[in-house]
Amino acid sequence: MQKPSFDPGLTQKYSQGLKRIINPNGRFNVRRTGTTWRDFHPYLFLVDAPLSVFIGVILAGYFVINLLFASVYWMIGVEQLHGAAAATPFLTFMNAFFFSAHTLTTVGYGNIYPAGVAANSIAVLEALIGLMGFALGTGILFGRFSRPTARIGYSKRMVVAPYQEITSLQFRIVNRRPNNLLNLEARVLLMTVQSVKDLARRNFDILPLERDSVIFFPLPWTIVHPITETSPLYGLTAQDYDRLQLEVLIMIKGMDETFGQTVHSRYSYRYDEIEWGAKFSPVFEVEESGDLLLEVNRVSEIERVIG
């Protein structure tokens, strides 16, 4: 029986040019279609959405709900809202809108108040929706801020640098936040595109590392893959990297000491993001007081290797 080839879950099928597997923001380069509304999970969407999108959705929802209830008050007759009458229909509708906002938030200034069964019933329903809606929104907001996430900074480029008596493929990471990450583990995969019987095929190899874990992470960690005779990169040149459409996929896992939970980070480098004949510059030094000074913004600095 033929031994199955290694596939980390990213498929080996390949038919045309692919931008990259993992985008710089850590998300997989996969566009999904064919889903239905039942597959949409509003909580997951609001928790994962960028902050600007989250704020936009909340503001839009708040405006739409008040607009709907203002329209309902308008349809049953604004005269049932004492104090809402104004000089023009537009101003009268705006008073209904503002009353809706006061009711939804349970502020209740009292300058406009409902009279009659219909208006009071709608106001009671709106107050209930407001209480539940703000409780739900507060929970989602708490979920966004309380969810442990890692903000690991990656060097902008990988380097092919000298390593002992051979060469190595290296990249550098740093914790951009002041919290402590412990027991960091790194897994690095190599993706190449090769022709097999005139058909393009994506191959994946695990790159062995000089050190695949560290206990503490207060300083930058330069992750090194020695290019030995057993490495899939052995003997390859920069032109070969280009021809093979090489991409290095990175998975970092660690423990966030503050939350006591595991956090993950993903990143990738393509062949055109690899610098040959270079090494990373030092980014920390010992001060006169004996403390270590780390310059996080210099994590990507490299210098040429002479000779």
Side-chain angles (χ1 to χ4, degrees):
M1 179 180 296
Q2 184 179 1
K3 183 180 179 180
S5 55
F6 173 65
D7 182 355
L10 299 170
T11 187
Q12 295 178 311
K13 295 182 179 179
Y14 182 88
S15 59
Q16 59 184 356
L18 184 68
K19 292 180 179 178
R20 64 193 309 148
I21 295 179
I22 299 178
N23 294 317
N25 61 3
R27 295 182 180 272
F28 291 106
N29 186 21
V30 177
R31 187 169 62 88
R32 299 164 58 88
T33 61
T35 58
T36 67
W37 66 270
R38 292 184 178 181
D39 302 315
F40 177 75
H41 197 296
Y43 176 78
L44 292 179
F45 170 76
L46 290 173
V47 168
D48 290 333
L51 182 60
S52 58
V53 175
F54 173 75
I55 294 176
V57 170
I58 295 299
L59 292 178
Y62 180 75
F63 176 80
V64 168
I65 290 176
N66 283 303
L67 186 63
L68 290 175
F69 274 99
S71 300
V72 173
Y73 291 125
W74 179 272
M75 287 187 295
I76 66 171
V78 183
E79 61 274 5
Q80 295 195 42
L81 297 180
H82 285 200
T88 65
F90 174 75
L91 291 178
T92 301
F93 182 82
M94 290 304 298
N95 282 337
F97 180 88
F98 293 138
F99 171 76
S100 172
H102 300 162
T103 304
L104 189 70
T105 58
T106 67
V107 172
Y109 288 122
N111 58 326
I112 302 176
Y113 58 92
V117 175
N120 276 287
S121 299
I122 296 171
V124 168
L125 176 63
E126 184 175 11
L128 177 63
I129 292 176
L131 289 172
M132 297 179 63
F134 281 106
L136 181 61
T138 302
I140 295 175
L141 183 63
F142 176 78
R144 286 182 61 90
F145 283 96
S146 63
R147 183 182 61 167
T149 57
R151 180 161 170 74
I152 294 178
Y154 293 82
S155 56
K156 293 181 180 179
R157 304 178 73 84
M158 299 188 85
V159 297
V160 177
Y163 173 78
Q164 298 179 2
E165 297 180 357
I166 55 177
T167 58
S168 63
L169 187 67
Q170 305 180 6
F171 65 96
R172 188 159 62 182
I173 62 175
V174 66
N175 184 10
R176 301 194 64 89
R177 290 176 177 166
N179 65 321
N180 292 322
L181 297 180
L182 307 174
N183 297 323
L184 246 66
E185 299 178 3
R187 299 193 67 183
V188 180
L189 299 178
L190 174 69
M191 189 282 294
T192 55
V193 177
Q194 299 179 359
S195 296
V196 179
K197 297 181 180 180
D198 296 329
L199 296 176
R201 178 186 178 89
R202 294 160 67 179
N203 290 335
F204 297 92
D205 294 283
I206 297 178
L207 295 182
L209 303 177
E210 170 202 40
R211 183 183 300 107
D212 59 10
S213 64
V214 292
I215 300 176
F216 308 111
F217 189 44
L219 297 175
W221 179 16
T222 300
I223 300 176
V224 179
H225 164 64
I227 304 179
T228 63
E229 293 182 359
T230 59
S231 168
L233 299 176
Y234 183 75
L236 299 183
T237 64
Q239 290 73 25
D240 293 325
Y241 283 22
D242 190 343
R243 174 179 55 84
L244 296 172
Q245 301 181 50
L246 180 146
E247 183 174 356
V248 179
L249 313 176
I250 300 157
M251 178 71 175
I252 304 293
K253 180 176 71 172
M255 172 67 69
D256 188 311
E257 185 181 45
T258 303
F259 293 94
Q261 297 185 33
T262 302
V263 292
H264 300 85
S265 178
R266 293 182 298 271
Y267 201 77
S268 78
Y269 296 94
R270 281 175 58 87
Y271 56 88
D272 54 354
E273 298 169 327
I274 299 176
E275 193 77 22
W276 287 71
K279 65 178 182 179
F280 289 109
S281 303
V283 293
F284 63 89
E285 60 183 16
V286 180
E287 297 182 300
E288 293 182 0
S289 62
D291 296 328
L292 283 172
L293 174 64
L294 170 62
E295 299 179 79
V296 176
N297 60 329
R298 296 179 54 199
V299 67
S300 298
E301 283 192 10
I302 59 176
E303 54 188 57
R304 305 306 305 178
V305 176
I306 299 176

